Amino acid sequence: MTLGNAAQADPVEGRGASLYRTVLEKHGGTLRPQSVQTKQEQIAELASNNPRMAINTLHHHIDYEWVLYAYKCTRKDGAVGVDGQTAEDYAANLEQNLLSLIDRIKSGRYYAPAVRRHYIPKGDGGRRGLGIGSFENKVAERAIVMLMEPVYEQVFLDCSHGFRPNRSAHGALQSVWTAVMKQGGRWILDVDIRKFFDSLVPAKLRELLDRRVTDGVVRRMIDKWLKAGVLEAGQIHYPDLGTPQGGVASPLLANIYLHYVLDEWFAEQVKPRLRGTGTLARFADDFVMVFQYKDDAERVLEVLGKRLGKFGLQLHPDKTQLVDFRAGRKLQHADGDTVPTTFNFLGFAHVWGKSRWGKHVVRRVTAKDRFARTVATIDDACRSMRHAPLREQHRSLCRKLTGHMAYFGITGNFRRIALLLCEVKRSWRKWLSRRSNESRVTWDAFNRLLEQLPLPRPRIYRSYAAT
């Protein structure tokens, strides 16, 4: 059953609108215009009041102020797509370009250009393929996401933390910490979905979208993005599966897919059948499950692969594991293989430690592979900018360190942050010494430089013990 003429809904102060206002006052650091905020609240209210109906009229909200806000929320310093157009090029005739974009979206004449494939290294030594779209396509995707986000914020569950308003990776980490420390979770399913973004089945995604959004303009745009080609090594090919990772709309589509495949299934079918407690914490396609009892974890692991297989997804056989996370345990199987007793999630290794009062507590420290990758990245940065002015190098390193500490600066991780600062100093001095054959910088001279250009001190930004 569909709900027609969504535009006629009255802007009432109901649960959907009020909740959506509290979590979306800002987006990407750009204040929302009042008209955009009002429209999104209307959409949220409509979706909240009609939880079992599909909304078939959304695109009428798209006007000039809507796409202008979408443009402002789009990164201007990203890599260019296949057309080579930069944000500056697009801004040169901004009003005309945005009006043309609105017309093409609503009339169905919008053409989704191919995305440019770019690979980045992964922590396991492999490569992750990203899809870099054109700048205008990013604006178009943002405009459509702004329509769909208020609808699905009424649907998504609390276990989903990735790429949602007022949610972050630290919310997922806090959920895991609470499940272990306060709910007695001791058995962890550390799950990895093999090539999720490359395996997503478009036909299944369309079926899932039918449950909530059937607006013809919105669905046509999504279909065009799913069918857009991929430019790689000078050749364009059209994959039958997947959605480009790195696209503006991809995180929302991934959340929609996994909401029905995983979140809803876990909440409605798995948890009621558990003997003890069970918690799912998901950030995009990265998730863990925490169980109180081993048999619950084993039974879920048996059926999880079958559940994902119904939607074209596979568990990674080497990276998916059952972890015995009981404090102080170092167990072995009968055949001598060591049972995992720690796990990594969202860049943190989760281990047991002792508090100052001698109690067992969960510690999160920067995972070894993430730490090594950060050190290598900063070393490369110091090498590439070694001939730049010192103050420019200093600003760049300060930004990198501050950003790292803002994420990894949590209770129990002070030593790893301090160690990274030592590695940064070592790399900076090393590459300053290689600016020329006569520019060797001694540690005494480098320390004097640090007195004039100090690097940020290690700092804890988030205290989990207090929560």
Side-chain angles (χ1 to χ4, degrees):
M1 183 175 181
T2 60
L3 178 66
N5 200 10
Q8 301 303 316
D10 292 330
V12 295
E13 278 291 335
R15 177 177 178 274
S18 60
L19 283 177
Y20 197 67
R21 178 185 295 113
T22 61
V23 300
L24 246 188
E25 288 302 325
K26 296 183 71 177
H27 190 298
T30 303
L31 287 174
R32 287 186 300 166
Q34 185 63 41
S35 64
V36 174
Q37 177 175 313
T38 299
K39 290 176 181 179
Q40 289 187 310
E41 289 169 0
Q42 289 177 3
I43 296 171
E45 189 67 36
L46 180 62
S48 177
N49 291 338
N50 301 276
R52 298 188 179 278
M53 294 183 179
I55 302 175
N56 62 14
T57 312
L58 285 172
H59 69 272
H60 61 277
H61 290 297
I62 300 178
D63 56 17
Y64 181 77
E65 196 164 21
W66 187 277
V67 294
L68 179 61
Y69 177 63
Y71 163 81
K72 291 179 178 179
C73 291
T74 303
R75 284 186 56 180
K76 310 300 188 297
D77 58 349
V80 299
V82 295
D83 58 0
Q85 186 181 53
T86 65
E88 291 76 12
D89 297 335
Y90 197 79
N93 197 7
L94 182 61
E95 182 176 356
Q96 183 175 338
N97 286 335
L98 293 180
L99 290 173
S100 173
L101 177 61
I102 296 170
D103 179 63
R104 283 177 284 135
I105 289 176
K106 292 189 174 183
S107 66
R109 293 184 293 106
Y110 180 81
Y111 168 75
V115 297
R116 180 168 61 85
R117 180 73 76 191
H118 175 71
Y119 290 95
I120 60 174
K122 296 172 61 176
D124 58 3
R127 297 192 305 166
R128 186 187 308 278
L130 300 181
I132 301 176
S134 67
F135 182 79
E136 183 178 65
N137 194 68
K138 295 175 184 177
V139 176
E141 289 190 51
R142 176 65 62 193
I144 298 300
V145 167
M146 286 163 51
L147 288 176
M148 298 177 64
E149 195 175 62
V151 175
Y152 284 98
E153 279 303 306
Q154 316 308 313
V155 176
F156 291 155
L157 304 180
D158 288 341
C159 61
S160 172
H161 299 270
F163 305 100
R164 293 180 57 193
N166 206 36
R167 288 177 175 264
S168 68
H170 285 280
L173 292 166
Q174 177 66 30
S175 177
V176 173
W177 187 90
T178 301
V180 174
M181 294 298 297
K182 297 185 178 182
Q183 299 174 7
R186 294 297 183 266
W187 296 90
I188 315 295
L189 281 186
D190 183 9
V191 183
D192 185 271
I193 300 178
R194 174 181 280 175
K195 297 182 177 180
F196 168 74
F197 284 92
D198 295 332
S199 304
L200 185 148
V201 182
K204 293 289 186 181
L205 175 61
R206 294 185 184 99
E207 292 177 10
L208 299 177
L209 288 171
D210 284 341
R211 302 186 185 187
R212 292 301 284 162
V213 175
T214 56
D215 181 285
V217 171
V218 173
R219 296 295 298 275
R220 184 167 56 233
M221 291 292 289
I222 293 175
D223 280 344
K224 290 182 178 182
W225 292 323
L226 293 175
K227 296 176 182 178
V230 176
L231 177 64
E232 185 173 3
Q235 299 291 326
I236 295 181
H237 60 95
Y238 299 89
D240 296 326
L241 300 175
T243 179
Q245 187 172 359
V248 175
S250 294
L252 177 60
L253 297 180
N255 272 337
I256 294 171
Y257 204 77
L258 288 175
H259 166 77
Y260 293 108
V261 173
L262 185 66
D263 303 354
E264 193 176 72
W265 170 75
F266 187 84
E268 297 180 1
Q269 300 186 40
V270 174
K271 290 188 71 173
R273 294 177 170 86
L274 297 179
R275 185 163 66 95
T277 62
T279 298
L280 168 66
R282 181 175 66 81
F283 188 91
D285 62 324
D286 195 358
F287 66 94
V288 296
M289 296 176 176
V290 185
F291 300 94
Q292 186 176 4
Y293 297 113
K294 181 181 180 180
D295 57 338
D296 282 340
E298 290 176 334
R299 286 189 293 117
V300 172
L301 181 58
E302 287 181 6
V303 299
L304 180 59
K306 298 176 183 178
R307 173 64 181 180
L308 296 178
K310 293 180 179 180
F311 296 86
L313 306 177
Q314 292 182 338
L315 292 176
H316 196 295
D318 299 325
K319 297 181 181 180
T320 300
Q321 59 183 358
L322 176 61
V323 179
D324 180 355
F325 202 59
R326 292 175 291 177
R329 299 302 180 100
K330 294 183 179 179
L331 304 181
Q332 288 188 334
H333 288 298
D335 58 6
D337 291 337
T338 301
V339 176
T341 56
T342 65
F343 65 97
N344 292 351
F345 183 50
L346 300 178
F348 288 92
H350 291 64
V351 299
W352 282 102
K354 290 287 188 71
S355 70
R356 66 181 67 181
W357 297 281
K359 296 182 178 180
H360 287 290
V361 294
V362 176
R363 299 290 189 192
R364 274 73 49 85
V365 298
T366 309
K368 291 182 179 179
D369 59 342
R370 180 64 69 89
F371 184 86
R373 191 160 71 245
T374 301
V375 170
T377 299
I378 291 180
D379 189 68
D380 288 341
C382 291
R383 176 186 57 81
S384 62
M385 66 182 179
R386 64 186 183 276
H387 296 297
L390 289 178
R391 292 192 178 278
E392 182 178 327
Q393 296 185 43
H394 175 257
R395 284 194 297 270
S396 177
L397 291 176
C398 286
R399 285 195 299 267
K400 294 180 185 299
L401 279 170
T402 301
H404 181 89
M405 286 189 289
Y407 182 75
F408 287 98
I410 68 174
T411 304
N413 199 30
F414 186 87
R415 290 183 179 180
R416 286 284 171 92
I417 295 175
L419 181 59
L420 178 65
L421 179 60
C422 293
E423 294 292 339
V424 170
K425 292 178 180 179
R426 186 177 293 111
S427 291
W428 196 16
R429 189 194 74 86
K430 177 183 72 174
W431 289 109
L432 287 178
S433 296
R434 299 183 184 183
R435 300 177 88 178
S436 68
N437 294 331
E438 301 177 356
S439 63
R440 186 176 183 277
V441 179
T442 64
W443 275 107
D444 287 340
F446 184 69
N447 287 331
R448 288 194 297 271
L449 171 65
L450 290 179
E451 291 177 0
Q452 301 176 21
L453 301 174
L455 293 172
R457 293 183 178 182
R459 176 184 171 189
I460 297 301
Y461 281 75
R462 301 171 187 270
S463 175
Y464 281 83
T467 55

